[in-house]
Amino acid sequence: MEKVTIEQIAKLADVSKATVSRVMNQTGGVSEKKLQRVQNVMKELDYRRNLVVRGSSAEHTKNIGVIVPEISKPFYARMIEQVEKYAFKKGYHILLASSQMSTEKEKERLMALAAMHVEGIILVSLAREAMPCHIRLKKDKMPLVLFDEKVEGLNYDV
């Protein structure tokens, strides 16, 4: 997948790179008209902000995302503990998120972890059928392990 740049967004929205930056960082100083143009272009291009710290390798973050419906449930707490122990032995760290029993929050968490360039995601999905975010991750070749439940229409290699 080709990376969308600030320059591309600025050109298509007919604004400066500084304006795009102000929109992305929500620092203000942008007219409503320009704000809408930039946001529309970002949406059209399916722009996802790169949250990896400058200087680190996006291909080797050594981070794995883990999303569960509820962190406080003993079943998930034990699962998280075992995943974290194994990941640490292999030189990885986990980034933990809860979907809080919401498919909309699951989508948000998935996209946030992908933007952080995790090397894979372990997911306990609430969805019973594939959502566009699941399809997007597969298209982007994001390694995804579905834990505990099957998601119809989402065929990852087993």
Side-chain angles (χ1 to χ4, degrees):
M1 165 180 232
E2 190 174 317
K3 182 180 172 191
V4 176
T5 66
I6 289 176
E7 290 82 6
Q8 291 169 317
I9 294 168
K11 183 176 181 179
L12 290 171
D14 194 28
V15 297
S16 69
K17 291 187 294 184
T19 298
V20 174
S21 178
R22 284 193 296 274
V23 170
M24 289 178 178
N25 294 314
Q26 300 176 350
T27 56
V30 178
S31 72
E32 186 63 31
K33 186 177 176 181
K34 287 182 181 180
L35 174 70
Q36 287 301 313
R37 284 199 325 246
V38 171
Q39 289 176 335
N40 288 341
V41 168
M42 289 169 64
K43 186 174 183 176
E44 181 182 315
L45 296 177
D46 197 20
Y47 175 79
R48 285 188 274 156
R49 190 166 184 182
N50 181 351
L51 298 177
V52 175
V53 177
R54 290 187 194 279
S56 67
S57 169
E59 286 104 34
H60 301 292
T61 62
K62 301 299 255 180
N63 291 322
I64 298 170
V66 177
I67 303 173
V68 296
E70 296 178 285
I71 295 169
S72 62
K73 294 276 184 181
F75 175 78
Y76 298 124
R78 284 191 300 274
M79 177 211 129
I80 293 162
E81 183 178 23
Q82 293 305 311
V83 167
E84 196 277 335
K85 281 181 184 177
Y86 186 79
F88 188 76
K89 282 181 187 176
K90 298 294 182 178
Y92 286 79
H93 299 279
I94 67 166
L95 301 177
L96 179 61
S98 170
S99 62
Q100 301 172 348
M101 300 300 293
S102 162
T103 55
E104 186 58 34
K105 287 186 175 153
E106 177 180 319
K107 173 187 165 191
E108 291 170 6
R109 295 343 184 237
L110 281 167
M111 295 298 96
L113 288 170
M116 288 184 250
H117 296 279
V118 294
E119 294 190 42
I121 298 173
I122 299 171
L123 171 66
V124 180
S125 183
L126 296 169
R128 296 299 157 241
E129 293 184 11
M131 297 188 296
C133 61
H134 297 131
I135 305 302
R136 174 64 188 258
L137 290 174
K138 183 171 177 121
K139 180 181 169 194
D140 290 349
K141 297 182 179 5
M142 171 64 70
L144 180 67
V145 174
L146 297 174
F147 185 85
D148 195 38
E149 297 289 340
K150 181 177 171 139
V151 176
E152 289 298 321
L154 189 60
N155 299 316
Y156 268 82
D157 294 335
V158 182

